[in-house]
Amino acid sequence: EYVHSSSLLWTKKEKPKTNTISEILKEKTLKPSRRSLPCLAQSQTHPQNINHFLSMPLTPDDKTDESFLIQKPATRAKLEARVDSLQPSGLLFRDGKKRIDYILVYKKSSPLVEKRVTFERNLRAEGLMLEKEPSLTNTDIMFVKIHAPWDTLCKYAEQMNIRMPFRKKSYFTDWKSKAMGRYVDFQCRQIKSWLPRNPMKLDKEALPDLEETDCYTAPFSRARMHHFTINNRHTFFSNSTRSRIVHHVLQRTKYEDGKSKMGINRLLGNGTYEAAFPPHEGGYKSRHPIKTHGAQNHRHLLYERWARWGMWYKYQPLDLIRRYFGEKIGLYFAWLGWYTGMLIPAALVGLLVFLYGFLTMDTSQVSKEICEANTTIMCPMCEENCNPWKLSDSCVYAKVTHLFDNGGTVFFAIFMAIWATVFLEFWKRRRAELTYDWDLIDWEEEEENLRPQFEAKYSRLERVNPISGKPEPFQPFTDKLSRLMVSVSGIFFMISLVLTAVFAVVVFRLIAMEKFASFDWEFVKKNWQFATSGTGVCINFMIIMSLNVVYEKVAYLLTNLEHPRTESEWENSFALKMFLFQFVNLNSSTFYIAFFLGRFAGRPGKYNKLFNRWRLEECHPSGCLIDLCLQMGVIMVLKQIWNNFMELGYPLLQNWWSRRKIKQTEREERTRGGQNVENKVQLPQWDKDWNLQPMNAHGLVDEYLEMVLQFGFTTIFVAAFPLAPLLALLNNIIEIRLDAYKFVTQWRRPMPARATDIGIWYGILEGIGVLAVITNAFVIAITSDYIPRFVYAFRYGPCVDKEYHHENRCLQGYMNSSLSVFDMGVRWNVSEEQSRYCRYRDYRASPWSPVPYDFTLQFWHVLAARLAFIIVFEHLVFGIKSFIAYLIPDMPKSLCDRMRREKYLMQEMMYEAELEHLQKERKKNGRRYHHEWP
């Protein structure tokens, strides 16, 4: 049943049948829940002041239920008095009453005075109030504080269709608890109260419930202002909403005569203003502990309950993040938290697969045969200065390979393919719940403004916008196509540059292979393959990080060359280019090792050479998977360490340098005997924010890009590196708090923007999921030794004619079967019979066979099995993925029912509210009134 929480009455008596919606709502009883708390959307409530009310138990027997806040005027007046007294410190005009909603910064020495004066005069004409304040840390800096009065807020809230609360929500009572009965439900809650508290949950007594969906919302209208619950005009619009309204005005105010001469973005671009940002709500630290004195403001609360490193194991306060930074940033942290949580089962399974390989490392039949092959002579690894070597010398290499190439590899690859699908499908459901909780279901992104660069370029060509009906600049199709072709050509050129860098690394590996194989130091000579792979990976990593700097600038230039129409189009185009560049840059060398290394090396006596000089690299007798694993492990670890250092280190150094300059200026002032500069603690909030670093110019592109590339590394080659999900999980636990610390303490407060999803990144994630299935199938079939071992066990091994199929028994003799024989007596002038023949990894006929060195039947069996495995694996996994995606709906059924029911009730409530208002007006005027619609 649905109930209206503003008319709570716990009653056991049944009432007669009613007709109106309000009577229906009064009749029902409410199941206590977090969402049935009072609507706090319109009060900037201090957390400490609502601790008592939020922690009050709500039971049917409790007489002081949540109506206490609504039905007791004295208590409510006291609470409102507390709310009114909690204005953010340092965020007011000089009169101590008007709240600062936005800050503009300009230099006094700027020559563009006329544009600034015109712009500020037009801002005042739009209804905004401005006040100027000089900086205490820089005599050339002036701050313009902006305040939006009540009438201006109402006018633009109506124009922007901002949804505001107008009535308490009704909720759908759980039919299961109703069927169980009140007593059983009470006993279940008692048992839950005895269980230990989940340590990952945040303490509700210190973190208030700030959900705005405790009330029905509707687009704000001044004509129907009586519908909305306005208890306090100062707190009806939240800080983020006020900043969003002011930003809307700043984007549409002219600074010169002309169609395109408007907007704060153009003024920031031409240097009229240095910066424009909403101010933080205050400091993020306090002298007093939060447990005893409460939080000073929401920024302080976010730091203590979210951004501190000690909170690494706690859930994120998404409602508070969304309220302070806006829905777009809130969705990023919700997605990052969801991705991190979903990595836990993947990391556990990957760790189990690795432990299985570790525990069976010594008992593996392949490893034992390699370690015991003291008499097996392998062919020399290079043309010069290399001698034949014993197969037993690579015992350690074979054991390490077994850690990642064992019986659990196929299972883990299938598991991760299914995991990627489940992750994306359940994220859709999570996103649907968040958009409902954050009141974004019916929100549609408003028509975006044209980018100033687009207007300046195509101001001479105009056509009527079919949405707004107004003329606007227009980009011809031929011009758009030609620019797109140039951009695509630039993308292919940069990708070819990456492939050139990979080719250079391959050449280095070929040179290093010969040098390490003939090294004087016995340790390096014995482990030349580890040395070659390790140095190649390190050099490749340095090339990757160097090219990343170039790619960002190239992507920026190519995106500007296309002249996207709006900011969202620009961001999507830039994000796609950055992903393509960095994905190819990061994975091209990995693809080479996985699918090309050792495939075209040839055979002894007929090796393929690069430029007829360097012999192509070949795989180890135990397989090429260890090279791929080493490549992924080193790049993944080093890249994550480097990214985390740059994300936190750069803002810290910049802010430290700003504080150092302030202290230096203070010392100079004291030396001159002038007026001392205020200490940092005494600086006004806008001065502190100015000394912080602005958010990245590309918004959340860099944050998403880092995580999406990590998702690709975690899924695409996971068959070769089962520890990848574990490394990603450990990194993300740090990443969440690092990003939180950066947003709360090191960056200026970004503009609170709205969004309903993660944008183009979801499509990229789906594409990575499809690519992961294909690459893992090829890695298992081609790179690993799973298929050759499988074919040997069931076709050539000792268990072919027997009923049992024990892995170690069936693989006896596998190593000898996978090595071919080469006669090196002629080339190396070997006369001793025992050392004339050497072995090499391949399926070729012996030198004394009728057709020497020709492929054997076993080679074709292995090849057929590899191709069959790829087809079966892909069809099986894609079928499972499609079936799971079909089974999991994008939106929970309960949420669909709740939305439909609430939409119906909202229409009824709007009808009755309007009717009640008209009846009051008629009664006041002395006219007759009826219960029917007039």
Side-chain angles (χ1 to χ4, degrees):
E1 295 173 318
Y2 281 89
V3 297
H4 197 285
S5 54
S6 65
S7 57
L8 275 176
L9 289 173
W10 293 102
T11 177
K12 297 181 180 179
K13 298 181 180 180
E14 294 185 358
K15 293 188 178 182
K17 188 176 181 181
T18 53
N19 296 322
T20 64
I21 188 69
S22 58
E23 291 174 342
I24 293 175
L25 295 174
K26 291 179 181 179
E27 175 191 8
K28 309 299 182 183
T29 59
L30 175 66
K31 175 191 175 185
S33 67
R34 180 174 66 87
R35 290 175 57 86
S36 63
L37 291 171
C39 180
L40 300 176
Q42 50 183 317
S43 63
Q44 298 286 347
T45 310
H46 194 289
Q48 187 71 12
N49 295 333
I50 60 174
N51 287 347
H52 173 68
F53 304 108
L54 289 173
S55 59
M56 289 176 61
L58 295 177
T59 62
D61 301 327
D62 192 353
K63 301 302 180 182
T64 57
D65 57 14
E66 71 169 17
S67 59
F68 177 82
L69 284 175
I70 301 172
Q71 296 177 355
K72 294 192 176 182
T75 306
R76 178 167 183 161
K78 187 183 295 185
L79 180 61
E80 289 183 2
R82 288 181 180 180
V83 172
D84 293 339
S85 65
L86 288 166
Q87 297 293 344
S89 59
L91 293 177
L92 303 174
F93 276 24
R94 295 193 192 97
D95 58 7
K97 296 181 179 179
K98 299 181 182 66
R99 179 187 299 177
I100 300 174
D101 299 315
Y102 221 88
I103 297 292
L104 302 180
V105 186
Y106 70 88
K107 289 185 177 180
K108 298 178 185 178
S109 58
S110 174
L112 303 174
V113 179
E114 185 178 352
K115 293 181 180 180
R116 185 174 65 250
V117 171
T118 304
F119 184 70
E120 293 174 1
R121 182 173 62 247
N122 291 337
L123 288 179
R124 292 187 178 95
E126 293 291 337
L128 299 180
M129 295 184 178
L130 278 63
E131 185 178 77
K132 295 187 178 182
E133 190 84 23
S135 172
L136 298 179
T137 60
N138 191 332
T139 56
D140 192 32
I141 294 296
M142 184 69 74
F143 296 102
V144 180
K145 300 178 286 186
I146 301 178
H147 166 74
W150 170 255
D151 293 337
T152 304
L153 290 172
C154 293
K155 179 177 72 173
Y156 282 100
E158 184 175 8
Q159 290 183 11
M160 297 170 63
N161 290 322
I162 294 179
R163 302 179 70 88
M164 301 302 296
F166 74 94
R167 185 73 69 88
K168 286 290 297 176
K169 266 199 172 180
S170 303
Y171 298 98
F172 193 72
T173 305
D174 190 359
W175 65 270
K176 293 183 179 179
S177 62
K178 183 179 178 182
M180 286 191 300
R182 187 168 298 176
Y183 177 76
V184 177
D185 184 56
F186 177 76
Q187 292 296 327
C188 291
R189 283 188 279 115
Q190 285 288 101
I191 295 174
K192 288 182 181 180
S193 64
W194 296 336
L195 297 175
R197 189 171 64 89
N198 186 353
M200 299 177 69
K201 289 185 178 180
L202 289 162
D203 187 4
K204 284 294 181 180
E205 294 183 358
L207 190 71
D209 189 330
L210 293 173
E211 285 200 39
E212 295 184 359
T213 50
D214 292 328
C215 295
Y216 287 114
T217 60
F220 185 79
S221 171
R222 287 176 291 177
R224 296 186 176 183
M225 194 176 295
H226 53 276
H227 288 176
F228 298 91
T229 309
I230 306 176
N231 298 324
N232 190 331
R233 289 188 173 187
H234 297 291
T235 57
F236 179 65
F237 294 103
S238 65
N239 281 350
S240 59
T241 303
R242 297 172 69 97
S243 299
R244 197 151 53 89
I245 291 174
V246 174
H247 184 75
H248 177 85
V249 179
L250 292 174
Q251 286 183 316
R252 288 159 177 78
T253 302
K254 290 188 175 183
Y255 58 86
E256 282 183 9
D257 292 334
K259 294 181 180 179
S260 62
K261 304 295 183 179
M262 66 170 62
I264 186 62
N265 292 338
R266 294 183 68 89
L267 293 176
L268 291 172
N270 60 29
T272 305
Y273 288 98
E274 297 297 315
F277 53 88
H280 279 295
E281 292 185 3
Y284 63 88
K285 287 186 177 180
S286 175
R287 298 178 180 177
H288 307 289
I290 191 173
K291 290 184 178 180
T292 57
H293 291 74
Q296 292 181 333
N297 49 66
H298 286 151
R299 187 188 184 197
H300 179 212
L301 185 61
L302 279 171
Y303 175 76
E304 292 290 338
R305 292 291 181 254
W306 179 49
R308 284 198 307 115
W309 297 108
M311 297 285 109
W312 66 270
Y313 62 95
K314 295 285 188 181
Y315 292 140
Q316 299 184 89
L318 293 178
D319 293 331
L320 189 59
I321 297 170
R322 169 253 181 161
R323 185 175 184 82
Y324 194 82
F325 292 111
E327 286 80 2
K328 192 171 185 178
I329 294 177
L331 273 174
Y332 164 71
F333 282 103
W335 176 83
L336 181 57
W338 183 258
Y339 171 45
T340 304
M342 289 292 291
L343 278 173
I344 294 176
L348 290 176
V349 176
L351 183 61
L352 291 176
V353 172
F354 177 80
L355 291 177
Y356 170 77
F358 179 79
L359 295 176
T360 59
M361 181 172 57
D362 294 328
T363 60
S364 171
Q365 181 64 30
V366 177
S367 300
K368 286 168 60 177
E369 289 186 2
I370 292 178
C371 294
E372 295 172 358
N374 296 319
T375 59
T376 303
I377 305 300
M378 303 298 295
C379 296
M381 300 301 298
C382 60
E383 299 293 331
E384 301 175 359
N385 303 322
C386 291
N387 297 319
W389 53 287
K390 294 181 180 180
L391 181 60
S392 58
D393 294 342
S394 61
C395 177
V396 176
Y397 201 94
K399 290 184 177 181
V400 175
T401 300
H402 182 74
L403 291 175
F404 306 97
D405 189 6
N406 51 65
T409 303
V410 178
F411 163 75
F412 189 57
I414 297 175
F415 172 83
M416 287 303 297
I418 297 173
W419 173 87
T421 302
V422 172
F423 161 65
L424 293 176
E425 291 300 323
F426 275 98
W427 164 247
K428 290 182 186 177
R429 296 166 64 88
R430 177 61 176 157
R431 186 196 68 84
E433 293 174 355
L434 286 174
T435 52
Y436 169 76
D437 290 339
W438 292 352
D439 199 25
L440 295 171
I441 293 293
D442 296 327
W443 180 79
E444 294 182 2
E445 192 168 353
E446 61 184 18
E447 181 71 12
E448 288 188 86
N449 285 339
L450 300 178
R451 297 183 72 242
Q453 296 85 345
F454 183 86
E455 292 180 335
K457 180 67 177 178
Y458 301 104
S459 58
R460 297 181 180 179
L461 299 174
E462 288 188 348
R463 75 170 183 180
V464 177
N465 187 321
I467 307 300
S468 62
K470 299 178 181 179
E472 66 177 19
F474 166 67
Q475 182 182 15
F477 175 77
T478 54
D479 181 79
K480 185 176 182 179
L481 181 62
S482 61
R483 291 181 179 276
L484 186 62
M485 293 299 294
V486 173
S487 179
V488 171
S489 302
I491 293 174
F492 278 108
F493 173 77
M494 295 307 298
I495 291 177
S496 64
L497 183 63
V498 177
L499 299 179
T500 304
V502 173
F503 181 76
V505 174
V506 171
V507 174
F508 168 81
R509 289 173 64 104
L510 298 181
I511 299 174
M513 177 183 66
E514 293 189 2
K515 298 299 181 183
F516 285 131
S518 59
F519 212 71
D520 294 335
W521 189 8
E522 187 64 26
F523 177 78
V524 176
K525 186 176 182 179
K526 188 176 181 179
N527 300 281
W528 64 270
Q529 286 183 310
F530 274 120
T532 302
S533 300
T535 53
V537 169
C538 292
I539 292 177
N540 184 59
F541 175 75
M542 290 188 288
I543 293 175
I544 287 173
M545 301 312 296
S546 302
L547 289 178
N548 281 346
V549 179
V550 179
Y551 292 151
E552 183 174 352
K553 296 181 179 180
V554 172
Y556 189 82
L557 291 174
L558 292 178
T559 306
N560 287 334
L561 179 66
E562 294 176 6
H563 285 299
R565 181 175 172 272
T566 61
E567 287 296 335
S568 63
E569 291 180 6
W570 188 96
E571 183 175 329
N572 289 338
S573 178
F574 178 77
L576 185 59
K577 291 182 180 62
M578 284 294 293
F579 170 76
L580 289 176
F581 287 158
Q582 293 209 22
F583 181 81
V584 174
N585 187 28
L586 195 64
N587 292 282
S588 54
S589 58
T590 312
F591 271 90
Y592 163 75
I593 293 176
F595 305 126
F596 297 99
L597 178 63
R599 306 287 171 248
F600 310 102
R603 61 172 180 83
K606 194 178 180 180
Y607 282 115
N608 298 321
K609 294 184 179 182
L610 185 63
F611 303 134
N612 293 324
R613 182 176 180 181
W614 296 296
R615 200 177 95 184
L616 294 180
E617 195 174 357
E618 56 183 315
C619 291
H620 189 268
S622 58
C624 288
L625 202 66
I626 188 63
D627 295 288
L628 179 59
C629 177
L630 184 64
Q631 171 87 5
M632 290 185 60
V634 172
I635 289 183
M636 193 170 185
V637 173
L638 291 180
K639 190 173 187 302
Q640 290 178 351
I641 293 175
W642 176 261
N643 288 340
N644 291 338
F645 173 76
M646 290 301 296
E647 283 188 18
L648 186 61
Y650 181 75
L652 283 175
L653 290 175
Q654 291 289 330
N655 293 332
W656 170 81
W657 183 253
S658 299
R659 292 193 299 269
R660 185 176 180 274
K661 289 195 298 183
I662 293 173
K663 292 179 180 179
Q664 185 177 359
T665 306
E666 181 182 359
R667 285 195 297 267
E668 292 176 357
E669 290 290 336
R670 287 176 177 174
T671 304
R672 296 172 186 171
Q675 185 178 3
N676 291 344
V677 178
E678 299 285 343
N679 293 329
K680 184 178 184 297
V681 179
Q682 299 174 345
L683 289 177
Q685 188 60 47
W686 51 85
D687 228 328
K688 295 178 184 177
D689 292 349
W690 165 244
N691 290 316
L692 296 177
Q693 295 301 306
M695 186 179 175
N696 290 336
H698 308 139
L700 292 172
V701 171
D702 293 338
E703 312 299 330
Y704 275 115
L705 180 62
E706 180 184 353
M707 290 295 101
V708 170
L709 290 174
Q710 184 206 80
F711 178 81
F713 238 67
T714 306
T715 55
I716 291 179
F717 291 103
V718 74
F721 191 52
L723 292 180
L726 179 61
L727 293 179
L729 174 63
L730 297 177
N731 174 79
N732 288 6
I733 292 174
I734 299 173
E735 182 75 21
I736 290 176
R737 305 304 159 179
L738 189 146
D739 284 348
Y741 183 83
K742 184 172 57 180
F743 271 92
V744 174
T745 67
Q746 302 302 311
W747 281 358
R748 297 172 194 160
R749 187 178 182 181
M751 172 59 205
R754 306 200 87 185
T756 57
D757 53 24
I758 62 176
I760 195 175
W761 299 107
Y762 185 84
I764 294 175
L765 289 171
E766 285 189 324
I768 291 176
V770 173
L771 181 62
V773 177
I774 300 173
T775 53
N776 280 306
F778 277 88
V779 165
I780 296 171
I782 296 176
T783 311
S784 77
D785 266 7
Y786 177 81
I787 298 300
R789 290 198 300 264
F790 181 84
V791 172
Y792 177 81
F794 289 92
R795 181 67 180 84
Y796 297 96
C799 301
V800 174
D801 298 328
K802 299 179 182 179
E803 296 181 357
Y804 63 87
H805 292 286
H806 191 272
E807 181 181 1
N808 288 339
R809 293 183 182 179
C810 295
L811 287 178
Q812 288 178 359
Y814 167 73
M815 210 63 235
N816 183 63
S817 174
S818 63
L819 296 177
S820 299
V821 180
F822 174 69
D823 184 1
M824 57 181 180
V826 178
R827 180 166 187 130
W828 277 272
N829 298 319
V830 178
S831 59
E832 299 179 6
E833 186 67 26
Q834 63 270 21
S835 61
R836 178 177 179 178
Y837 298 102
C838 66
R839 310 295 296 273
Y840 62 97
R841 181 184 172 85
D842 208 342
Y843 296 102
R844 292 183 180 270
S846 60
W848 53 83
S849 65
V851 186
Y853 306 118
D854 195 10
F855 288 117
T856 63
L857 183 62
Q858 188 174 354
F859 169 82
W860 299 108
H861 284 166
V862 171
L863 179 62
R866 282 174 168 169
L867 297 177
F869 176 83
I870 292 173
I871 296 173
V872 173
F873 182 89
E874 289 184 356
H875 282 72
L876 176 65
V877 176
F878 278 130
I880 295 175
K881 284 168 62 72
S882 302
F883 182 67
I884 291 176
Y886 173 77
L887 287 181
I888 302 176
D890 294 346
M891 187 178 293
K893 185 178 184 302
S894 58
L895 181 59
C896 295
D897 295 340
R898 198 183 313 161
M899 289 169 50
R900 293 174 61 188
R901 177 65 172 166
E902 289 186 2
K903 185 176 181 180
Y904 166 75
L905 288 179
M906 187 175 64
Q907 294 174 348
E908 294 290 329
M909 289 176 191
M910 292 285 288
Y911 169 83
E912 290 198 0
E914 188 67 25
L915 181 61
E916 182 180 355
H917 176 69
L918 291 176
Q919 289 173 350
K920 287 181 180 179
E921 290 294 325
R922 288 188 174 186
K923 185 176 181 180
K924 186 186 298 184
N925 297 332
R927 299 171 58 185
R928 291 187 61 188
Y929 59 93
H930 303 279
H931 290 283
E932 65 273 6
W933 187 266

